[in-house]
Amino acid sequence: AGPQPSATALPYIDTQLEQDGVQEQVRSMLVEEMRTFRPRGDYLAHMPEIELSLEDTQLLQRELMRVSEGQPMPSFDLSRLAMDAPGHGHQNDTAAWLRAIRNAKAQLEQQTNRIDNLELMQQHGAKAWRRQLLILEAALARIESERASVKAETDVLHRKRKYEQLEAAKELRALENEWLAGVQKNAHIEAAIRAVEAEHEALRSAHPSLRDNPPPDTNGGISAAATSSHNGTVGKQAEIDTR
């Protein structure tokens, strides 16, 4: 069996599925999600009903009745292939002897046809088979040529896809690093502000005269900085997606 096709959107970048246990986790999540699906009531309602007219097909009617009743299929009647004489009770029956003679003539004609077919096959069979083999070889060559052409186009598409994904990976990683740097910077600034606020509260507790003065609004500055950094990262990510 050949390699299985990748189910990831970016197989040259997203390599998490190759890690141990990740595929099993993904499958379990898919199974759990599929359990929440509810089948539709009649999913064939939009299709027209099939109308079968069996009025002129008695043979098909009998066969459908046999199948619906669960009856076994009748076996083939091989009695007509035998060349038996009339039984002991019909030795003097002219009609029985006539039926036996007709059956013997039919068997003789069938054997004559078999001999004719064997003679024709012996005379022309080798040539017919060689011609058939030439036709099959030509069909095989045509299919192999089409397969090679499709494989070449597929290889070109895979190389192009890999190149585009690897080029996009560079910019995605740069944006991710930039986003992480912005998050870390915001975290450091927020920690510094908390320290300053704690120090300010300590000073207010130590000096009651400072309690009437409210602390400066620092959350607005942090929110504005975080929003600006986040909007810039999202804008660059959207630009990559549109490419």
Side-chain angles (χ1 to χ4, degrees):
Q4 296 295 328
S6 177
T8 57
L10 301 174
Y12 301 103
I13 301 175
D14 299 332
T15 58
Q16 291 85 353
L17 288 177
E18 299 177 359
Q19 301 176 3
D20 296 337
V22 176
Q23 290 190 4
E24 289 74 10
Q25 183 180 3
V26 171
R27 290 194 185 97
S28 62
M29 295 174 64
L30 290 175
V31 171
E32 187 66 25
E33 181 67 19
M34 291 176 65
R35 290 175 181 172
T36 62
F37 297 160
R38 295 183 179 179
R40 293 181 296 176
D42 186 4
Y43 61 93
L44 298 178
H46 65 285
M47 300 183 65
E49 296 183 359
I50 299 177
E51 297 182 0
L52 296 177
S53 178
L54 305 178
E55 297 179 356
D56 301 331
T57 55
Q58 297 181 359
L59 179 63
L60 184 57
Q61 288 181 11
R62 290 195 298 268
E63 183 64 17
L64 291 177
M65 289 296 296
R66 181 192 64 81
V67 174
S68 63
E69 294 174 358
Q71 298 180 1
M73 179 182 293
S75 59
F76 291 102
D77 184 13
L78 302 179
S79 61
R80 64 185 183 86
L81 301 179
M83 297 179 60
D84 299 332
H88 296 289
H90 300 279
Q91 293 293 327
N92 298 324
D93 188 354
T94 305
W97 280 106
L98 290 176
R99 287 194 299 269
I101 292 173
R102 285 196 298 269
N103 185 27
K105 289 182 178 179
Q107 296 298 324
L108 180 61
E109 186 67 23
Q110 195 268 342
Q111 295 298 330
T112 303
N113 290 335
R114 291 183 62 185
I115 293 174
D116 292 340
N117 290 331
L118 290 174
E119 291 177 351
L120 289 172
M121 186 180 68
Q122 186 175 5
Q123 183 179 359
H124 305 287
K127 296 179 181 179
W129 275 110
R130 282 195 294 268
R131 180 177 177 83
Q132 181 66 18
L133 289 176
L134 291 176
I135 295 175
L136 293 177
E137 289 177 354
L140 178 62
R142 183 179 69 256
I143 294 173
E144 289 291 343
S145 176
E146 294 176 357
R147 174 182 174 275
S149 177
V150 172
K151 186 177 183 301
E153 295 177 0
T154 305
D155 292 340
V156 172
L157 179 63
H158 285 333
R159 286 193 293 268
K160 180 180 178 182
R161 184 186 183 197
K162 181 177 181 179
Y163 174 78
E164 292 177 351
Q165 291 185 14
L166 293 178
E167 289 297 318
K170 298 177 182 178
E171 194 163 359
L172 287 174
R173 293 191 182 98
L175 291 173
E176 184 178 5
N177 293 333
E178 183 179 353
W179 175 77
L180 289 175
V183 171
Q184 293 176 355
K185 182 177 179 180
N186 289 336
H188 293 162
I189 294 175
E190 187 174 359
I193 291 175
R194 296 291 181 267
V196 172
E197 289 179 347
E199 182 179 358
H200 183 73
E201 290 295 333
L203 290 174
R204 291 179 63 189
S205 299
H207 302 280
S209 59
L210 298 176
R211 294 179 181 177
D212 296 336
N213 298 326
D217 185 7
T218 56
N219 292 330
I222 290 297
S223 299
T227 302
S228 176
S229 175
H230 176 70
N231 290 339
T233 304
V234 170
K236 293 181 179 180
Q237 184 64 39
E239 183 180 354
I240 294 299
D241 293 340
T242 55
R243 293 179 184 178

